[in-house]
Amino acid sequence: MGRPPKRNLNYSTWDVDVLENDTSIDALIDAQGPAGFYVYFALCQKAYATDGYFYRWGYDNAASTARKLGGGLKSTQVRAIVDLCVSLGLFDKALFTTDGILTSRAIQSRYLDGIARRTGEIPIIVEYWLLEATPRAGLVFVHKNGITAYRNPSNEPQKPSFRTEDYIRQNEINPQHNLPPETTVEKSVENRRESCTRIIALIQSYTGANLQGDKQTRKQVYNLFDRGYTEQDVKAVVQIAANTEAQFPPPVQLFGPMFDRMITDPAGASSYALRDHYAPLPPVSKKGSARAFNGGY
């Protein structure tokens, strides 16, 4: 009998500027100190070391996690850190609440990078997958009950790339999921910079404000990329904001908690909910006139 396919990773990659351009990490460290990032990093590594793109974890595991990590950590602090990571979007809220799964779009994007050279079939549980389409050959998408949902017809290994198509065509995998069209997450520094420049240029077309040199705006856009959102996602929210009756919000607001609310409920939900990754973005129409910022820059 053949050996079961290897799913976990032997090593993982992290952006060198993870502590520089991620406002969610900033908020985590501000609230929980260095221990906050330590626990978050350790749980991400456990995901790569076990199932590869997710980690089964519950509050009952908090004491064991604290003991293994040491450093004076207590189970109550580990629980608080995980809860904060979930609320900040560093871990997917829905999967943690319903299945006890710690994962995120960023974790799964790094996982795709980690298996870029791997050959053979790799099973992916479709209910846990947050991305939409991937060119990675050999992925077999299965349901939690083990029934195959979709098999990538191409089983040839692909060359590693700094560009990762991070979407699965869910309409082919699971008809109940209606996803937006496939797009790309820019992985290289150059591509991220170009994507950010185009997003800022779009804002300028609506507002007339030159924000290309605004480091805070760029930092917030990079943070959205780190969370797994794409240039298409961010542009869609910018266009939604430009097509509302209210004045165009400053980027510091638009790319903060407002972003999660607008990408989930563009009509204007009263609560700030994290994006349902299986909900399509609504169509937007072009406006003939630009809007001005409600505040100085």
Side-chain angles (χ1 to χ4, degrees):
M1 185 172 64
R3 180 181 301 177
K6 179 181 176 65
R7 293 189 296 178
N8 64 311
L9 302 180
N10 294 327
Y11 64 92
S12 64
T13 59
W14 286 75
D15 292 338
V16 296
D17 60 353
V18 64
L19 297 177
E20 298 294 333
N21 296 321
D22 193 328
T23 55
S24 295
I25 295 295
D26 291 343
L28 175 62
I29 296 176
D30 180 67
Q32 291 290 338
F37 180 77
Y38 176 40
V39 172
Y40 167 66
F41 178 81
L43 292 173
C44 288
Q45 295 300 94
K46 288 293 291 184
Y48 301 132
T50 54
D51 285 282
Y53 58 96
F54 69 90
Y55 182 45
R56 297 183 186 276
W57 191 93
Y59 291 126
D60 291 341
N61 304 118
S64 296
T65 299
R67 177 182 60 80
K68 292 176 182 178
L69 295 181
L73 281 171
K74 302 296 184 183
S75 61
T76 53
Q77 186 177 10
V78 171
R79 290 173 58 116
I81 290 171
V82 171
D83 284 340
L84 182 56
C85 287
V86 170
S87 67
L88 291 171
L90 293 171
F91 293 130
D92 186 81
K93 181 178 181 179
L95 285 176
F96 178 65
T97 302
T98 59
D99 291 87
I101 296 297
L102 294 179
T103 190
S104 69
R105 291 163 64 94
I107 289 174
Q108 295 179 7
S109 292
R110 294 191 197 105
Y111 177 71
L112 290 180
D113 288 342
I115 62 173
R117 295 178 180 270
R118 195 169 296 177
T119 60
E121 294 186 341
I122 301 175
I124 298 291
I125 298 176
V126 66
E127 288 88 353
Y128 299 162
W129 196 248
L130 300 175
L131 308 183
E132 295 172 21
T134 172
R136 175 63 173 85
L139 296 184
V140 178
F141 298 96
V142 299
H143 292 294
K144 289 188 290 185
N145 60 10
I147 298 176
T148 300
Y150 173 79
R151 185 184 301 271
N152 191 322
S154 175
N155 199 33
E156 298 178 358
Q158 296 194 358
K159 297 180 180 179
S161 171
F162 287 106
R163 294 170 63 101
T164 299
E165 298 264 352
D166 77 335
Y167 287 101
I168 297 174
R169 292 188 179 279
Q170 284 285 6
N171 288 334
E172 299 175 5
I173 302 172
N174 191 341
Q176 70 179 353
H177 294 161
N178 184 18
L179 295 179
E182 67 174 303
T183 182
T184 59
V185 172
E186 303 297 351
K187 301 298 291 184
S188 72
V189 173
E190 181 180 356
N191 287 336
R192 283 161 58 94
R193 185 184 301 114
E194 291 175 355
S195 293
C196 184
T197 298
R198 287 191 290 267
I199 290 168
I200 293 178
L202 179 62
I203 296 175
Q204 183 172 343
S205 71
Y206 287 119
T207 66
N210 185 359
L211 296 172
Q212 291 296 347
D214 191 319
K215 294 183 179 180
Q216 178 63 25
T217 298
R218 284 186 171 271
K219 181 176 180 179
Q220 288 186 291
V221 173
Y222 290 145
N223 174 46
L224 293 175
F225 290 162
D226 290 338
R227 292 176 57 194
Y229 289 109
T230 66
E231 178 182 345
Q232 179 181 342
D233 290 334
V234 180
K235 282 184 175 180
V237 169
V238 170
Q239 291 172 335
I240 292 170
N243 282 277
T244 60
E245 296 301 323
Q247 290 183 323
F248 196 98
V252 68
Q253 297 179 11
L254 181 62
F255 297 145
M258 181 183 291
F259 184 92
D260 288 324
R261 184 191 69 180
M262 294 185 69
I263 204 167
T264 305
D265 184 4
S270 59
S271 61
Y272 292 99
L274 292 175
R275 178 185 178 189
D276 176 359
H277 298 287
Y278 302 116
L281 292 176
V284 295
S285 59
K286 295 183 178 179
K287 286 285 185 177
S289 59
R291 300 183 183 276
F293 281 115
N294 182 18
Y297 280 88

